[in-house]
Amino acid sequence: MKFNVKTLYVYKFISQCLPIYAFYTILFIERGKSVSDIALLIALWSLFTIIFEIPSGVLADRWNRRNMLAWSAVFQGLCFIIWFFSHTFFMFALGFIFWGISGAFASGTEEGLIYDNLKSDGNEEKFTQIYGKARFYATIGTVFGIGSAGVIATFVAIENIALISAAICFLNVIFALQIREKNLYSEGIDRNVSKFFDTFKEAGIFLKETKVAIVFIVFLALFANIGGFLDEFDALIINDFGLSHIWVSVILTVRFVFVAFGELVAPIVQRRVSSVKTVFLFSMLACTFLTIFSVIWDWYAILFFGFSFMIMAINEILLVNALQNKIKEEGRATVMSFYGIALDMVMICFGLVYGLLAGLLPLQYVYLVISIYGFVGGAIFYIGHKLRTI
């Protein structure tokens, strides 16, 4: 049985085809939560993910990655069911606990499953292409989900959209279980001798001895994923513009159409990128577009918004591919869990800082500060890499 990438693509499409993505921040606001409350909830979401990140990564390397993805879909569905009944901060946080478990179960598991399937077939050089395309279909699913959300919201209450999204998650369990299971690390260890902690230790030694992998992870966590941090707050831009709910779907659709295009062309860009320092330049370019959007701060500048996140999507795929190629015999999911923890820790800080800034500054200035932060970060890494190679 060969690796059926079409099944993977269907799974990825459905996993993100969730209309609640467009409206859960609005749901929180309609049920009495402030912008600061929302930022704190999202920070807690990242904290919950951190708690489960390493254990789930080791489990994914030692157990069954396909089953991990199926359980991930189940836990995410449970989150949306809880939100349907939620009115208090505690209940919304409880939903995020389940979503945190879901994210931890999928983090690193997908990348490891894809890479090992390709390596088993002698096609590991196609990782960027397959991984990028899987991300592309996931983003197209997001576009379809949020695009339909605006229409659905005209007929049903937003809390009912949470139930619809939960049903989609449970449906996706079927497709997750159809992906071919391949775990080269698990097949190569003696379970009677190797202990659970050994896998964690191997990943730690790898990171300690592979400095360039640390650079990739730090840049991915601090700067390359700014777009991913901000998508939780996109609906607030429409509130600030004073536009109707249908515009939430519009801005999110524009964002994810550009992201999808970036994920699709990432393999082409990879063939033309001679050095990782180019990725740092791309990051500066992405934040330049975000700065332009922040300065204009009106709906007609939305294309600059989209271009920014398109370039960020390309950067992330290129760096994840570079990191995967550095991993040899270590547990891939566990190594990626370290990246996941770094990402979630930054997400906690980002959410708290966003909430603080939103309480002190107009939203336009919040985005301007963030775009400058990203530009400076790209410049620092570019100059540092250039000096190191001189």
Side-chain angles (χ1 to χ4, degrees):
M1 177 182 174
K2 290 198 68 176
F3 180 37
N4 190 339
V5 294
K6 292 182 179 179
T7 304
L8 170 70
Y9 297 155
V10 171
Y11 156 78
K12 289 295 290 180
F13 175 86
I14 297 177
S15 72
Q16 299 300 314
C17 188
L18 303 172
I20 191 61
Y21 280 173
F23 285 113
Y24 70 82
T25 53
I26 303 297
L27 174 63
F28 296 165
I29 289 173
E30 288 187 351
R31 292 191 170 177
K33 301 296 160 288
S34 67
V35 173
S36 296
D37 287 336
I38 294 171
L40 180 57
L41 281 168
I42 292 173
L44 287 173
W45 174 23
S46 297
L47 177 62
F48 300 144
T49 306
I50 287 174
I51 293 171
F52 296 103
E53 190 74 62
I54 291 294
S56 66
V58 176
L59 186 61
D61 280 329
R62 300 178 66 91
W63 184 46
N64 186 299
R65 291 171 179 166
R66 177 179 60 192
N67 291 349
M68 295 283 287
L69 297 183
W71 277 108
S72 173
V74 170
F75 286 126
Q76 191 173 27
L78 291 175
C79 166
F80 301 144
I81 289 176
I82 291 171
W83 283 355
F84 174 78
F85 296 102
S86 297
H87 287 272
T88 65
F89 183 93
F90 172 78
M91 288 299 291
F92 284 122
L94 180 62
F96 270 127
I97 289 178
F98 283 97
W99 199 347
I101 297 172
S102 170
F105 270 40
S107 173
T109 305
E110 290 181 353
E111 292 87 349
L113 183 59
I114 293 170
Y115 197 94
D116 277 359
N117 265 297
L118 292 173
K119 188 173 182 178
S120 178
D121 293 337
N123 294 322
E124 60 265 40
E125 75 281 357
K126 293 184 178 180
F127 177 80
T128 301
Q129 176 186 342
I130 302 301
Y131 179 63
K133 207 165 184 179
R135 292 272 302 260
F136 165 78
Y137 281 108
T139 304
I140 292 299
T142 303
V143 171
F144 187 84
I146 63 179
S148 63
V151 177
I152 296 172
T154 62
F155 297 101
V156 303
I158 292 178
E159 58 265 26
N160 291 329
I161 294 178
L163 285 184
I164 293 171
S165 299
I168 293 171
C169 290
F170 296 140
L171 172 66
N172 204 30
V173 172
I174 299 172
F175 291 95
L177 293 174
Q178 300 307 309
I179 302 173
R180 185 180 75 170
E181 169 63 16
K182 184 58 64 175
N183 190 332
L184 299 181
Y185 178 83
S186 178
E187 293 171 7
I189 63 173
D190 185 344
R191 296 175 185 274
N192 296 321
V193 176
S194 177
K195 298 179 181 179
F196 192 87
F197 185 75
D198 291 342
T199 304
F200 169 80
K201 185 177 179 180
E202 287 176 13
I205 292 173
F206 163 77
L207 291 175
K208 182 179 179 181
E209 295 178 349
T210 314
K211 303 301 182 184
V212 68
I214 295 292
V215 173
F216 294 157
I217 288 175
V218 170
F219 188 78
L220 276 163
L222 287 176
F223 303 107
N225 273 283
I226 289 177
F229 299 155
L230 286 173
D231 70 3
E232 310 301 334
F233 303 101
D234 282 352
L236 301 179
I237 296 175
I238 299 306
N239 269 5
D240 198 69
F241 286 172
L243 301 174
S244 64
H245 281 177
I246 191 69
W247 276 89
V248 175
S249 291
V250 172
I251 191 171
L252 289 173
T253 299
V254 168
R255 164 203 269 274
F256 287 112
V257 164
F258 274 92
V259 168
F261 183 74
E263 291 163 345
L264 196 61
V265 303
I268 300 173
V269 175
Q270 182 193 31
R271 291 195 289 269
R272 290 165 171 75
V273 171
S274 57
S275 170
V276 72
K277 69 180 181 181
T278 308
V279 174
F280 304 144
L281 282 176
F282 283 165
S283 182
M284 295 165 64
L285 178 61
C287 290
T288 299
F289 282 123
L290 187 59
T291 301
I292 294 172
F293 170 76
S294 302
V295 170
I296 298 174
W297 200 247
D298 212 330
W299 66 268
Y300 56 81
I302 201 170
L303 289 181
F304 293 108
F305 185 77
F307 277 122
S308 174
F309 298 129
M310 178 189 75
I311 298 170
M312 290 182 192
I314 294 172
N315 275 354
E316 185 181 358
I317 290 174
L318 295 183
L319 287 171
V320 168
N321 175 68
L323 181 57
Q324 287 290 328
N325 286 333
K326 292 294 179 182
I327 303 170
K328 301 304 178 185
E329 303 300 326
E330 300 80 13
R332 294 185 181 279
T334 307
V335 172
M336 292 300 291
S337 289
F338 280 93
Y339 161 49
I341 284 180
L343 192 63
D344 291 325
M345 290 177 65
V346 174
M347 181 62 180
I348 290 173
C349 297
F350 189 93
L352 295 175
V353 170
Y354 187 102
L356 177 64
L357 291 175
L360 298 174
L361 302 171
L363 199 62
Q364 176 184 7
Y365 295 159
V366 174
Y367 277 78
L368 186 59
V369 169
I370 291 170
S371 61
I372 293 172
Y373 158 80
F375 184 91
V376 171
I380 290 172
F381 272 77
Y382 176 77
I383 293 170
H385 186 274
K386 192 171 183 179
L387 290 176
R388 190 175 63 85
T389 54
I390 290 176

